[in-house]
Amino acid sequence: MNQSKISVRYAKAFFEIAVEKNMLDTAIADMQLLDNANSSIPEFREFMQNPLVVPSDKKKIVSELFSRRMAKASVDFLNLIIENKRENCLHTILLNIAEMYKKHEGITSVKVSTASAMNDAQKQQLTSIVEKQYNTKAFVSETIDSSLLGGFVLQIDDKLFDASLKTKLMNIKKELLTKSGI
């Protein structure tokens, strides 16, 4: 079976249980903790994906690491992933859970790339504009890309708005080359 289908199925099952048990906020916080461990601690990721470590040992370590920090349902979910040998899908499962949560809560993901860091007023203004335009809550993440030279590139869901100086200069160059016949 396709890994993405597997990830969606696990994520959907966990998400539905969290909603049913009225523990969605707790479950999401637990999955964020797990995602942070998985993405920022290479040893944890390698341990989880190591096929030589038997599932019972993985479950024991996971229980020791997370039982005091996460809800029982979240630890049980992680143990289910281990039992079914789906550790290699963990990252995509967590991404799918995060996307389901955003959709459930009506949150729109906004990614903005700028040549230099935005100040708080600019971030607030961008958030406000997106929330009004799309009638939704906005979660803005910023990346700095000095190659843009100036301006910004804004991605809202699957829409891309490129107002960067780099793109404008490239368009001018193309236009000049076209008109000069080169």
Side-chain angles (χ1 to χ4, degrees):
M1 184 180 281
N2 186 332
Q3 184 178 355
S4 64
K5 286 183 181 180
I6 292 168
S7 298
V8 170
R9 285 184 180 178
Y10 276 83
K12 186 176 180 183
F14 179 74
F15 191 83
E16 288 175 356
I17 288 169
V19 169
E20 182 180 305
K21 290 187 174 187
N22 201 23
M23 59 171 277
L24 185 58
D25 291 337
T26 301
I28 294 302
D30 291 348
M31 293 303 108
Q32 287 173 336
L33 174 70
L34 184 57
D35 188 41
N36 287 341
N38 193 48
S39 51
S40 64
I41 306 171
E43 295 85 3
F44 176 74
R45 187 175 47 254
E46 290 167 11
F47 166 76
M48 288 297 289
Q49 294 183 358
N50 188 339
L52 300 176
V53 180
V54 294
S56 60
D57 288 345
K58 286 183 184 181
K59 288 166 61 173
K60 181 180 176 188
I61 297 294
V62 162
S63 181
E64 289 175 17
L65 287 173
F66 295 111
S67 64
R68 291 189 186 117
R69 295 183 184 117
M70 291 173 34
K72 183 182 180 322
S74 299
V75 175
D76 290 345
F77 175 66
L78 185 53
N79 284 330
L80 178 70
I81 291 170
I82 293 168
E83 279 177 31
N84 294 333
K85 296 179 172 44
R86 299 298 188 197
E87 300 94 320
N88 62 330
C89 300
L90 183 59
H91 178 68
T92 53
I93 291 170
L94 296 173
L95 287 176
N96 281 304
I97 291 170
E99 285 305 311
M100 288 175 189
Y101 178 72
K102 287 177 187 175
K103 186 174 182 180
H104 182 267
E105 294 295 311
I107 299 171
T108 299
S109 292
V110 178
K111 296 177 186 172
V112 63
S113 297
T114 56
S116 60
M118 295 171 55
N119 62 37
D120 290 337
Q122 290 169 323
K123 288 180 190 175
Q124 183 57 42
Q125 184 179 15
L126 175 62
T127 302
S128 177
I129 290 169
V130 171
E131 288 178 347
K132 285 179 187 174
Q133 186 70 30
Y134 288 87
N135 195 25
T136 183
K137 292 182 254 179
F139 175 77
V140 177
S141 61
E142 177 186 15
T143 56
I144 298 171
D145 181 358
S146 59
S147 73
L148 297 176
L149 303 174
F152 62 90
V153 176
L154 184 66
Q155 181 179 351
I156 303 172
D157 292 328
D158 60 347
K159 296 175 183 78
L160 187 69
F161 305 96
D162 190 340
S164 68
L165 187 56
K166 177 182 176 180
T167 300
K168 288 180 181 180
L169 289 172
M170 285 184 0
N171 289 340
I172 291 170
K173 179 182 176 181
K174 284 180 189 176
E175 189 175 324
L176 288 171
L177 290 173
T178 304
K179 287 184 177 179
S180 66
I182 296 177

